[in-house]
PDB file of all heavy atoms in Angstrom:
ATOM      1  N   TYR A  59     129.181 -34.623-103.355  1.00  0.00           N
ATOM      2  CA  TYR A  59     128.077 -33.822-102.884  1.00  0.00           C
ATOM      3  C   TYR A  59     128.601 -32.693-101.988  1.00  0.00           C
ATOM      4  O   TYR A  59     129.456 -32.899-101.139  1.00  0.00           O
ATOM      5  CB  TYR A  59     127.088 -34.669-102.098  1.00  0.00           C
ATOM      6  CG  TYR A  59     126.332 -35.670-102.961  1.00  0.00           C
ATOM      7  CD1 TYR A  59     126.981 -36.795-103.450  1.00  0.00           C
ATOM      8  CD2 TYR A  59     124.998 -35.460-103.317  1.00  0.00           C
ATOM      9  CE1 TYR A  59     126.301 -37.722-104.278  1.00  0.00           C
ATOM     10  CE2 TYR A  59     124.329 -36.370-104.116  1.00  0.00           C
ATOM     11  CZ  TYR A  59     124.985 -37.492-104.578  1.00  0.00           C
ATOM     12  OH  TYR A  59     124.306 -38.391-105.390  1.00  0.00           O
ATOM     13  N   GLU A  61     127.387 -31.284 -99.484  1.00  0.00           N
ATOM     14  CA  GLU A  61     127.231 -31.509 -98.035  1.00  0.00           C
ATOM     15  C   GLU A  61     128.302 -32.457 -97.474  1.00  0.00           C
ATOM     16  O   GLU A  61     128.467 -32.575 -96.260  1.00  0.00           O
ATOM     17  CB  GLU A  61     125.848 -32.064 -97.710  1.00  0.00           C
ATOM     18  CG  GLU A  61     125.494 -33.390 -98.388  1.00  0.00           C
ATOM     19  CD  GLU A  61     124.724 -33.175 -99.680  1.00  0.00           C
ATOM     20  OE1 GLU A  61     124.897 -32.161-100.349  1.00  0.00           O
ATOM     21  OE2 GLU A  61     123.890 -34.065-100.013  1.00  0.00           O
ATOM     22  N   ASP A  62     129.014 -33.164 -98.363  1.00  0.00           N
ATOM     23  CA  ASP A  62     130.081 -34.057 -97.917  1.00  0.00           C
ATOM     24  C   ASP A  62     131.461 -33.421 -97.977  1.00  0.00           C
ATOM     25  O   ASP A  62     132.452 -34.094 -97.634  1.00  0.00           O
ATOM     26  CB  ASP A  62     130.087 -35.342 -98.761  1.00  0.00           C
ATOM     27  CG  ASP A  62     128.850 -36.191 -98.573  1.00  0.00           C
ATOM     28  OD1 ASP A  62     128.225 -36.102 -97.501  1.00  0.00           O
ATOM     29  OD2 ASP A  62     128.508 -36.963 -99.490  1.00  0.00           O
ATOM     30  N   PRO A  96     125.309 -43.727 -92.640  1.00  0.00           N
ATOM     31  CA  PRO A  96     124.163 -44.515 -93.053  1.00  0.00           C
ATOM     32  C   PRO A  96     124.460 -45.387 -94.255  1.00  0.00           C
ATOM     33  O   PRO A  96     125.452 -45.149 -94.992  1.00  0.00           O
ATOM     34  CB  PRO A  96     123.100 -43.462 -93.417  1.00  0.00           C
ATOM     35  CG  PRO A  96     123.567 -42.206 -92.791  1.00  0.00           C
ATOM     36  CD  PRO A  96     125.042 -42.263 -92.734  1.00  0.00           C
ATOM     37  N   VAL A  97     123.608 -46.369 -94.495  1.00  0.00           N
ATOM     38  CA  VAL A  97     123.738 -47.247 -95.674  1.00  0.00           C
ATOM     39  C   VAL A  97     123.709 -46.425 -96.936  1.00  0.00           C
ATOM     40  O   VAL A  97     122.875 -45.537 -97.110  1.00  0.00           O
ATOM     41  CB  VAL A  97     122.588 -48.299 -95.688  1.00  0.00           C
ATOM     42  CG1 VAL A  97     122.616 -49.099 -96.973  1.00  0.00           C
ATOM     43  CG2 VAL A  97     122.703 -49.205 -94.462  1.00  0.00           C
ATOM     44  N   GLY A  98     124.683 -46.683 -97.817  1.00  0.00           N
ATOM     45  CA  GLY A  98     124.689 -46.077 -99.157  1.00  0.00           C
ATOM     46  C   GLY A  98     125.241 -44.667 -99.224  1.00  0.00           C
ATOM     47  O   GLY A  98     125.181 -44.040-100.289  1.00  0.00           O
ATOM     48  N   CYS A  99     125.808 -44.166 -98.118  1.00  0.00           N
ATOM     49  CA  CYS A  99     126.272 -42.775 -98.133  1.00  0.00           C
ATOM     50  C   CYS A  99     127.601 -42.573 -98.876  1.00  0.00           C
ATOM     51  O   CYS A  99     127.988 -41.459 -99.176  1.00  0.00           O
ATOM     52  CB  CYS A  99     126.367 -42.239 -96.712  1.00  0.00           C
ATOM     53  SG  CYS A  99     127.590 -43.036 -95.673  1.00  0.00           S
ATOM     54  N   GLY A 100     128.329 -43.688 -99.100  1.00  0.00           N
ATOM     55  CA  GLY A 100     129.578 -43.569 -99.849  1.00  0.00           C
ATOM     56  C   GLY A 100     130.813 -43.897 -99.071  1.00  0.00           C
ATOM     57  O   GLY A 100     131.951 -43.555 -99.504  1.00  0.00           O
ATOM     58  N   ASN A 219     127.198 -37.270 -92.071  1.00  0.00           N
ATOM     59  CA  ASN A 219     126.018 -36.767 -91.406  1.00  0.00           C
ATOM     60  C   ASN A 219     124.956 -37.858 -91.341  1.00  0.00           C
ATOM     61  O   ASN A 219     124.797 -38.612 -92.303  1.00  0.00           O
ATOM     62  CB  ASN A 219     125.487 -35.532 -92.189  1.00  0.00           C
ATOM     63  CG  ASN A 219     124.332 -34.850 -91.462  1.00  0.00           C
ATOM     64  OD1 ASN A 219     123.247 -35.411 -91.295  1.00  0.00           O
ATOM     65  ND2 ASN A 219     124.573 -33.661 -91.029  1.00  0.00           N
ATOM     66  N   ALA A 220     124.267 -37.963 -90.226  1.00  0.00           N
ATOM     67  CA  ALA A 220     123.257 -39.001 -90.066  1.00  0.00           C
ATOM     68  C   ALA A 220     122.169 -38.934 -91.125  1.00  0.00           C
ATOM     69  O   ALA A 220     121.473 -39.934 -91.436  1.00  0.00           O
ATOM     70  CB  ALA A 220     122.658 -38.959 -88.663  1.00  0.00           C
ATOM     71  N   ASN A 221     121.933 -37.748 -91.725  1.00  0.00           N
ATOM     72  CA  ASN A 221     120.949 -37.552 -92.733  1.00  0.00           C
ATOM     73  C   ASN A 221     121.465 -37.597 -94.143  1.00  0.00           C
ATOM     74  O   ASN A 221     120.829 -37.217 -95.107  1.00  0.00           O
ATOM     75  CB  ASN A 221     120.232 -36.209 -92.537  1.00  0.00           C
ATOM     76  CG  ASN A 221     119.526 -36.100 -91.197  1.00  0.00           C
ATOM     77  OD1 ASN A 221     118.888 -37.073 -90.761  1.00  0.00           O
ATOM     78  ND2 ASN A 221     119.686 -34.961 -90.514  1.00  0.00           N
ATOM     79  N   SER A 222     122.713 -38.107 -94.262  1.00  0.00           N
ATOM     80  CA  SER A 222     123.352 -38.206 -95.610  1.00  0.00           C
ATOM     81  C   SER A 222     122.503 -39.070 -96.539  1.00  0.00           C
ATOM     82  O   SER A 222     121.976 -40.124 -96.117  1.00  0.00           O
ATOM     83  CB  SER A 222     124.746 -38.790 -95.465  1.00  0.00           C
ATOM     84  OG  SER A 222     125.389 -38.831 -96.701  1.00  0.00           O
ATOM     85  N   VAL A 223     122.362 -38.656 -97.766  1.00  0.00           N
ATOM     86  CA  VAL A 223     121.507 -39.333 -98.719  1.00  0.00           C
ATOM     87  C   VAL A 223     122.136 -40.646 -99.160  1.00  0.00           C
ATOM     88  O   VAL A 223     123.346 -40.811 -99.130  1.00  0.00           O
ATOM     89  CB  VAL A 223     121.197 -38.454 -99.944  1.00  0.00           C
ATOM     90  CG1 VAL A 223     120.485 -37.207 -99.562  1.00  0.00           C
ATOM     91  CG2 VAL A 223     122.485 -38.140-100.724  1.00  0.00           C
ATOM     92  N   ASP A 224     121.293 -41.573 -99.610  1.00  0.00           N
ATOM     93  CA  ASP A 224     121.713 -42.819-100.182  1.00  0.00           C
ATOM     94  C   ASP A 224     122.144 -42.572-101.634  1.00  0.00           C
ATOM     95  O   ASP A 224     121.299 -42.330-102.491  1.00  0.00           O
ATOM     96  CB  ASP A 224     120.624 -43.861-100.088  1.00  0.00           C
ATOM     97  CG  ASP A 224     121.054 -45.286-100.525  1.00  0.00           C
ATOM     98  OD1 ASP A 224     122.101 -45.372-101.207  1.00  0.00           O
ATOM     99  OD2 ASP A 224     120.369 -46.247-100.157  1.00  0.00           O
ATOM    100  N   LYS A 225     123.430 -42.589-101.883  1.00  0.00           N
ATOM    101  CA  LYS A 225     123.945 -42.283-103.242  1.00  0.00           C
ATOM    102  C   LYS A 225     123.667 -43.398-104.251  1.00  0.00           C
ATOM    103  O   LYS A 225     123.872 -43.215-105.456  1.00  0.00           O
ATOM    104  CB  LYS A 225     125.443 -42.008-103.212  1.00  0.00           C
ATOM    105  CG  LYS A 225     125.838 -40.602-102.801  1.00  0.00           C
ATOM    106  CD  LYS A 225     125.991 -40.457-101.302  1.00  0.00           C
ATOM    107  CE  LYS A 225     126.622 -39.161-100.913  1.00  0.00           C
ATOM    108  NZ  LYS A 225     126.727 -38.952 -99.442  1.00  0.00           N
ATOM    109  N   ARG A 226     123.236 -44.534-103.752  1.00  0.00           N
ATOM    110  CA  ARG A 226     122.991 -45.669-104.666  1.00  0.00           C
ATOM    111  C   ARG A 226     121.601 -45.678-105.245  1.00  0.00           C
ATOM    112  O   ARG A 226     121.257 -46.497-106.072  1.00  0.00           O
ATOM    113  CB  ARG A 226     123.251 -47.003-103.952  1.00  0.00           C
ATOM    114  CG  ARG A 226     124.714 -47.146-103.547  1.00  0.00           C
ATOM    115  CD  ARG A 226     124.991 -48.477-102.876  1.00  0.00           C
ATOM    116  NE  ARG A 226     124.329 -48.557-101.565  1.00  0.00           N
ATOM    117  CZ  ARG A 226     124.742 -49.424-100.612  1.00  0.00           C
ATOM    118  NH1 ARG A 226     125.763 -50.223-100.831  1.00  0.00           N
ATOM    119  NH2 ARG A 226     124.122 -49.467 -99.448  1.00  0.00           N
ATOM    120  N   GLN A 227     120.780 -44.746-104.782  1.00  0.00           N
ATOM    121  CA  GLN A 227     119.388 -44.703-105.310  1.00  0.00           C
ATOM    122  C   GLN A 227     119.345 -43.984-106.642  1.00  0.00           C
ATOM    123  O   GLN A 227     120.153 -43.112-106.904  1.00  0.00           O
ATOM    124  CB  GLN A 227     118.501 -43.950-104.292  1.00  0.00           C
ATOM    125  CG  GLN A 227     118.260 -44.755-103.000  1.00  0.00           C
ATOM    126  CD  GLN A 227     117.342 -44.045-102.068  1.00  0.00           C
ATOM    127  OE1 GLN A 227     116.971 -42.871-102.255  1.00  0.00           O
ATOM    128  NE2 GLN A 227     116.940 -44.742-100.992  1.00  0.00           N
TER     129      GLN A 227
END
Side-chain angles (χ1 to χ4, degrees):
Y59 290 74
E61 59 264 31
D62 293 335
V97 172
C99 65
N219 188 293
N221 298 319
S222 183
V223 299
D224 187 341
K225 278 88 169 178
R226 294 182 292 200
Q227 291 182 351

